[in-house]
Amino acid sequence: MLSGTAAMGSVFAAAALAGCGGNASAASVRDIQFWHLLSGGDGIKMQAMISKANEGNPGFKVHPTVLAWGPPYYTKLAMASAGGRPPQLAIMHASRVPGYAPGGLIDPWDLDLLSEHGVTAQSFAPRIWDKSQNNGKVFSIALDSHPFVMFYNRDVAGKAGLLGGNGQLQEAHSPQEFLAMAREMQKVTQAHGLSFGYLGSGSQMWRLFYTLYKQHGADMELTPGKPMVADNEAAIESLQFMTSLFDDTVAAQSGDISTGIAEFARGGSGMLFSGVWELPTFKKAKLPVDAATIPTLFGTPAAYADSHSFVLPRQLNVDEGKRRDVYKFVSDILKGSLSWAEAGHIPAYQPVVQSQAYRELTPQIHYANAAEIIAYDPEAWFSGSGSDWQTYFAETVQNVLLGRDKAADGWDAFVRRTNTLLSRPNPV
Amino acid sequence: MSSLATSHDSEGQAGTLPGLSRKKPINQAGSGRTRSQGSRNNLNGWAFAAPFLAFFLVFLVWPLLYGLYMSLTGKSLTGANDSIIGLANYAEALADADMWHSLGNTLYFTVISTVPLVIVALVMAALLNVGLPAQWLWRVSYFAPYLLASTVVSLFFTWMYNPQLGLINDTLVKIGLPKVAWLNDPGVAMWAIVIATLWWTVGFNFLLYLAAMQNIPAQHYEAASLDGAGAWRQFFSITLPQLAPTSVMIVLLQILASLKIFDQVYQMTAGGPGGATRPVVQYIFESGFTGYRLGYSAAISYIFFGLIVAVSVLQFFITRRRSA
């Protein structure tokens, strides 16, 4: 159905170009600037989706600009918006929206206009739709949710006798069970049971920590002007469990993201904690890979996640025609997000998730339940993916994971650092 | 301007451009022609200087003044809180442990990088100056790294320092030494960055030293060897004293360059581990561009600016006393 529409669109576009000789039609094509931070496999997928949408809509042409992930992207987007000449459309992590919406850097979405294209609140899972709200308005439209999950090597798990009757990895229900499973896998690989690269990466440390913290059923609140509200016991227990992983049997004592991924990809370990976006890497490496959400070790199912979401950076002068095109473009991309799911992400648009084609995607379907248990970063102007706050987490916690500091000391230092941020004037 | 307009043509020489007159009047202050030529020369001077002055005013003086104004406001990247809040940002910065920590890191880097960057450059130049064969090869290999972009150098050293797969740890293990967490141990990371910086930038100082050494007259060495002075004696009694002005310049340039450290650190450790390598320039960048607080960031810049001015003034007095 979708491919049929696109094919018709491309035929029409080709005919229009051929018939008009280019010039006349070029004048009526509206150019839409679109910034995103998706590189690697994600970037290639996004480019293909944009090209498809462009072909299906001869009235506009979306020009993507790809910027480096993290602080460079968010700084440039904020500066462009503050200056009033940002792109017509941009991708942000949903967790970063609270740092942009109150300051007027992005505009709310018009739900009536969106519903004209068949996209409504009912098109999204409740957790994801809730996250798109700020002060009662919708500031972001999620394309996906991308949780932190557990990949595993089916061959290694099979040899270690850890596969269940359904061919999937048995579930661990406590830290001890998980460590025992990892040690069984280590006997098979002779290297490590689990790969988890974290050195120098606040994002990686935070993703696993927050998953484990939320599995305690604990909450975290950041209110400017007030000290951070958190469950210290849950935090310290989570950090202690993380530290217990790095004994050079369960997992390598010192590894960064790339060494962790490389180790898992060459069969040096049975499991890997990482983001779903790594899936294409392992498929390409022809690894017998499967995946699941990180096992519930502390009672409450939870998975750290974020969403790539569409936002409307505030323009000095809004071109209504272009803005209408943006709504059409976004709805086209959402409806075509099955190909985005192939890159590992869980589509936010429910009709895609409920489609037969998505149900046939493995291992994606094995962690699709994550959409119901995902936890976004606690909201503050300084939190979220690629934020300084995650860097501060690395600064205070890396030495705990390396076995040099006590978990309680590392956590206390992070709380102090956070409280300093909360005590300062909110710049947004 | 007015003298140019009124007195120019009365005594102008036919067929000669006023500014190019060969018969230049001497000691004729007050004569119309001198004033005219002086004004014309002035005008030409201003015209030549204007492009530079315009850039200087637009891109240096104006930002400097605007930054100073900004440091007195609560201005944020989103444009909010534009009101003047006096010295509150300065007071906050002076009480900010992270500011002092990053400033301390910058000074620490400056000290531990300047010493080897000067001494190693001197040794390299001296070795080359005694007449090693294949001089061009040494010169190229010493200077070539300086031409690389900081990103290239940072990537290169990040791979070399990789704890699991890096060349350096691999070599250490092969010769029976333990692995080192080069960029992840707070006690080692700054030294790892110094080593990378040394490899990258020592070629510039080396070149300055080599040029200065080759300018020392050969007669000095001839006379010294006739008097029976050996190679070491010649080095300490002729080469080093003759290099003194160059050394002062290299040390000054090196201190200023090291104080501005940012690129390598940002790319190799992002200021980690545990903030152990975060220089003050990175803290300024973080406060302003990722923390959105432009006013606060400007205040820290001015505190840092004050420090650099103080270092330069100190240096100025030290060199003046030496030359006096």
Side-chain angles (χ1 to χ4, degrees):
Chain A
M1 168 81 182
L2 280 169
S3 58
T5 316
M8 275 177 63
S10 63
V11 167
F12 179 74
L17 282 175
C20 305
N23 283 344
S25 67
S28 63
V29 173
R30 287 179 294 273
D31 291 315
I32 311 287
Q33 299 299 329
F34 170 40
W35 285 11
H36 68 75
L37 38 55
L38 305 158
S39 57
D42 280 359
I44 295 168
K45 279 276 176 213
M46 178 50 77
Q47 184 54 53
M49 290 164 76
I50 293 169
S51 301
K52 200 170 166 186
N54 279 341
E55 284 165 18
N57 294 284
F60 64 79
K61 188 166 192 306
V62 172
H63 302 272
T65 301
V66 188
L67 297 158
W69 191 92
Y73 180 76
Y74 285 108
T75 300
K76 283 172 189 146
L77 190 59
M79 291 182 80
S81 302
R85 289 177 188 80
Q88 282 84 24
L89 180 68
I91 287 245
M92 277 181 70
H93 288 99
S95 63
R96 294 300 295 262
V97 173
Y100 278 64
L105 292 176
I106 50 179
D107 281 341
W109 288 82
D110 180 342
L111 294 186
D112 294 338
L113 209 50
L114 208 56
S115 67
E116 284 178 19
H117 300 289
V119 178
T120 62
Q122 284 70 43
S123 310
F124 299 89
R127 276 187 192 235
I128 295 174
W129 184 250
D130 286 351
K131 185 64 189 168
S132 68
Q133 319 273 322
N134 197 292
N135 267 339
K137 289 180 180 164
V138 174
F139 276 93
S140 64
I141 299 294
L143 168 62
D144 65 25
S145 62
H146 46 274
F148 201 60
V149 297
M150 177 179 70
F151 290 102
Y152 61 91
N153 184 320
R154 278 199 315 273
D155 286 357
V156 174
K159 282 180 193 157
L162 295 170
L163 290 184
N166 57 1
Q168 293 177 38
L169 188 67
Q170 292 169 13
E171 210 174 319
H173 298 95
S174 70
Q176 291 72 27
E177 265 183 57
F178 180 80
L179 293 173
M181 282 172 70
R183 292 204 176 95
E184 287 304 313
M185 289 192 178
Q186 192 271 340
K187 287 177 192 160
V188 176
T189 64
Q190 294 295 314
H192 298 117
L194 166 77
S195 291
F196 175 58
Y198 65 95
L199 285 180
S201 170
S203 308
Q204 280 289 93
M205 295 180 219
W206 175 257
R207 287 165 186 154
L208 182 56
F209 166 79
Y210 200 57
T211 299
L212 300 169
Y213 177 83
K214 292 298 279 187
Q215 287 192 357
H216 286 82
D219 272 331
M220 201 179 278
E221 277 176 39
L222 305 171
T223 315
K226 291 183 183 167
M228 173 182 185
V229 177
D231 182 336
N232 293 333
E233 251 175 67
I236 292 166
E237 192 175 21
S238 305
L239 286 177
Q240 280 167 340
F241 171 68
M242 285 168 75
T243 310
S244 72
L245 297 171
F246 308 117
D247 64 353
D248 267 339
T249 303
V250 172
Q253 229 254 322
S254 53
D256 57 12
I257 295 188
S258 50
T259 51
I261 290 167
E263 181 181 63
F264 180 72
R266 65 166 190 267
S269 67
M271 297 178 283
L272 170 82
F273 289 156
S274 191
V276 292
W277 54 88
E278 296 297 350
L279 182 62
T281 309
F282 307 131
K283 290 232 162 184
K284 208 171 160 189
K286 303 251 186 287
L287 201 70
V289 68
D290 207 333
T293 50
I294 289 176
T296 307
L297 307 179
F298 296 100
T300 308
Y304 163 86
D306 211 330
S307 293
H308 293 122
S309 301
F310 292 103
V311 293
L312 301 168
R314 176 158 294 176
Q315 309 280 328
L316 217 51
N317 298 304
V318 177
D319 180 326
E320 288 303 332
K322 285 188 181 184
R323 191 150 270 195
R324 291 188 79 86
D325 293 338
V326 163
Y327 278 75
K328 176 71 170 70
F329 172 73
V330 167
S331 64
D332 279 8
I333 295 280
L334 288 179
K335 289 168 188 170
S337 56
L338 182 67
S339 79
W340 192 238
E342 287 164 5
H345 310 279
I346 304 174
Y349 189 63
Q350 288 303 295
V352 171
V353 176
Q354 284 148 10
S355 69
Q356 189 55 34
Y358 182 71
R359 283 168 201 281
E360 284 165 11
L361 281 183
T362 51
Q364 284 91 329
I365 195 68
H366 294 157
Y367 57 76
N369 63 314
E372 287 139 38
I373 59 168
I374 55 177
Y376 293 96
D377 266 14
E379 289 195 4
W381 63 266
F382 53 77
S383 64
S385 288
S387 63
D388 285 347
W389 194 51
Q390 291 189 349
T391 310
Y392 298 152
F393 185 68
E395 286 184 12
T396 47
V397 155
Q398 179 163 294
N399 268 347
V400 174
L401 302 185
L402 285 167
R404 295 185 186 131
D405 281 353
K406 284 188 188 143
D409 294 346
W411 176 249
D412 284 350
F414 180 62
V415 171
R416 274 199 303 277
R417 185 82 194 235
T418 306
N419 286 341
T420 306
L421 283 171
L422 288 169
S423 70
R424 287 183 179 162
N426 181 347
V428 177
Chain B
M1 281 292 278
S2 62
S3 69
L4 177 78
T6 52
S7 60
H8 169 239
D9 273 335
S10 58
E11 290 178 287
Q13 292 170 344
T16 314
L17 285 171
L20 296 176
S21 162
R22 283 192 293 160
K23 285 195 274 176
K24 286 192 176 165
I26 300 166
N27 291 333
Q28 287 185 10
S31 93
R33 193 168 68 173
T34 310
R35 268 212 305 277
S36 153
Q37 282 190 341
S39 307
R40 177 58 63 100
N41 283 341
N42 264 346
L43 194 71
N44 287 344
W46 281 108
F48 276 115
F52 174 79
L53 271 177
F55 267 78
F56 180 75
L57 289 172
V58 173
F59 293 108
L60 200 80
V61 176
W62 168 242
L64 214 68
L65 294 175
Y66 188 71
L68 190 62
Y69 158 75
M70 220 157 66
S71 73
L72 304 172
T73 69
K75 192 172 174 62
S76 84
L77 197 63
T78 61
N81 313 323
D82 211 354
S83 54
I84 290 184
I85 54 169
L87 296 175
N89 283 330
Y90 288 92
E92 185 183 335
L94 293 175
D96 181 354
D98 291 324
M99 199 278 291
W100 287 111
H101 188 215
S102 59
L103 202 57
N105 284 339
T106 296
L107 294 178
Y108 178 57
F109 175 82
T110 304
V111 171
I112 66 171
S113 67
T114 301
V115 174
L117 273 163
V118 174
I119 292 176
V120 172
L122 177 67
V123 171
M124 278 161 49
L127 283 176
L128 206 62
N129 201 38
V130 297
L132 285 177
Q135 289 253 343
W136 63 271
L137 179 68
W138 297 101
R139 266 187 239 188
V140 167
S141 48
Y142 285 168
F143 189 70
Y146 186 73
L147 302 174
L148 294 175
S150 69
T151 325
V152 175
V153 176
S154 304
L155 267 181
F156 176 56
F157 272 89
T158 307
W159 288 330
M160 300 246 291
Y161 286 139
N162 186 298
Q164 301 285 331
L165 313 165
L167 181 70
I168 301 181
N169 271 359
D170 193 51
T171 313
L172 287 180
V173 169
K174 276 185 182 145
I175 58 173
L177 292 171
K179 284 182 177 178
V180 177
W182 291 101
L183 297 174
N184 297 299
D185 184 334
V188 179
M190 193 66 103
W191 287 98
I193 288 168
V194 168
I195 291 170
T197 309
L198 181 69
W199 179 83
W200 179 30
T201 62
V202 74
F204 183 71
N205 293 350
F206 152 79
L207 216 59
L208 292 179
Y209 265 132
L210 188 66
M213 277 182 194
Q214 293 181 342
N215 272 337
I216 300 173
Q219 298 92 312
H220 293 195
Y221 293 104
E222 278 176 33
S225 45
L226 285 177
D227 287 341
W232 285 108
R233 185 75 193 162
Q234 288 182 20
F235 181 74
F236 284 106
S237 297
I238 300 172
T239 314
L240 269 190
Q242 293 272 338
L243 288 179
T246 311
S247 295
V248 169
M249 182 185 71
I250 288 177
V251 169
L252 176 64
L253 289 178
Q254 190 54 56
I255 288 176
L256 293 177
S258 287
L259 281 172
K260 290 190 291 185
I261 173 82
F262 173 69
D263 306 22
Q264 311 93 292
V265 175
Y266 191 68
Q267 291 169 103
M268 289 168 73
T269 65
T277 57
R278 174 188 283 116
V280 72
V281 176
Q282 189 183 329
Y283 193 59
I284 291 168
F285 168 76
E286 280 174 11
S287 304
F289 291 109
T290 59
Y292 307 153
R293 298 186 62 201
L294 292 182
Y296 184 60
S297 162
I300 305 172
S301 318
Y302 270 87
I303 292 171
F304 184 47
F305 178 66
L307 179 88
I308 291 185
V309 170
V311 169
S312 307
V313 168
L314 196 72
Q315 190 81 29
F316 174 74
F317 280 113
I318 291 172
T319 49
R320 201 172 64 160
R321 191 173 301 164
R322 281 174 66 106
S323 56

